[in-house]
Amino acid sequence: SRSAWQTLGVERVAIVDYDVHHGNGTQQAFLEDDSVLFISIHQDGLYPLNSGSSDEQGTGRGKHYTINVPLPPGSGVGAYEYAFSKLVIPTLTAFRPDLLLVSSGFDASYLDPLGTMMVTAECFGRLAKSLVDLEVPAVFVHEGGYSENHAPFCGLRVVEAMCGLSESPVKTTDDGEAALYAYQALQPWQKAIVDESYSSNAAPCIARCESK
């Protein structure tokens, strides 16, 4: 982000982090900066401990430009897609970034040994497509993802979304089973967390952006 300011002359950078762990380092780097919007969707209480709650919202000029969505363990496709449609995409649209950086970790996948989320490869592809559809210059950086059997398919779906491919010749047969897992749909307690993050932090951020 700092390099983009210096070399590309961009004024506003957005960072979306859907790695299963909280993006605490990125948050700390831009805590007081209103030219960088940071959104982290992560498993609550995983790592680091006591980091990434929705009341961590930035300080000073950066107030409300740090947005955390700490989803409970067991969250799946419904929770992640709701977080994107309710919070991520509307906030990015209001912020109008010149550059989008994506911390594209796949350790929220349902086969990952370090997390306890249930995201499928197909879902990662749809999340990526929703970001690509914003038509903002974007850089996707592969971070976590520790299932050697599933992470490659997650990465493939993201690359396909970046390339504008609507249908893949490569099938991920395990995703069909994962889609049938109990609680894969959005649950009320997951919706409540996303809605709280939106009302307490994303909505004020959108209001500030639209007033500029």
Side-chain angles (χ1 to χ4, degrees), residues 37 39 54 57 63-69 86-88 90-92 94-95 194-211:
L37 170 65
I39 304 175
S54 60
Q57 303 176 346
K63 180 72 171 178
H64 298 306
Y65 286 85
T66 291
I67 301 174
N68 286 300
V69 185
K86 172 70 176 184
L87 186 152
V88 176
T91 310
L92 289 173
F95 183 67
V194 176
D195 289 348
E196 193 280 329
S197 293
Y198 178 84
S199 61
S200 67
N201 207 7
C205 179
I206 290 172
R208 287 189 61 184
C209 292
E210 291 179 343
S211 68

Side-chain angles (χ1 to χ4, degrees), residues 63-142:
K63 180 72 171 178
H64 298 306
Y65 286 85
T66 291
I67 301 174
N68 286 300
V69 185
L71 291 174
S75 296
V77 170
Y80 275 79
E81 293 190 339
Y82 181 71
F84 263 64
S85 64
K86 172 70 176 184
L87 186 152
V88 176
I89 300 304
T91 310
L92 289 173
T93 300
F95 183 67
R96 304 185 305 278
D98 302 307
L99 177 66
L100 173 61
L101 305 178
V102 184
S103 299
S104 184
F106 303 127
D107 37 13
S109 87
Y110 72 97
L111 285 177
D112 196 89
L114 297 188
T116 55
M117 300 306 223
M118 299 195 298
V119 182
T120 64
E122 303 300 329
C123 178
F124 278 117
R126 291 192 293 272
L127 300 182
K129 183 179 185 303
S130 69
L131 296 174
V132 171
D133 285 348
L134 293 172
E135 299 184 344
V136 174
V139 177
F140 285 73
V141 180
H142 180 198

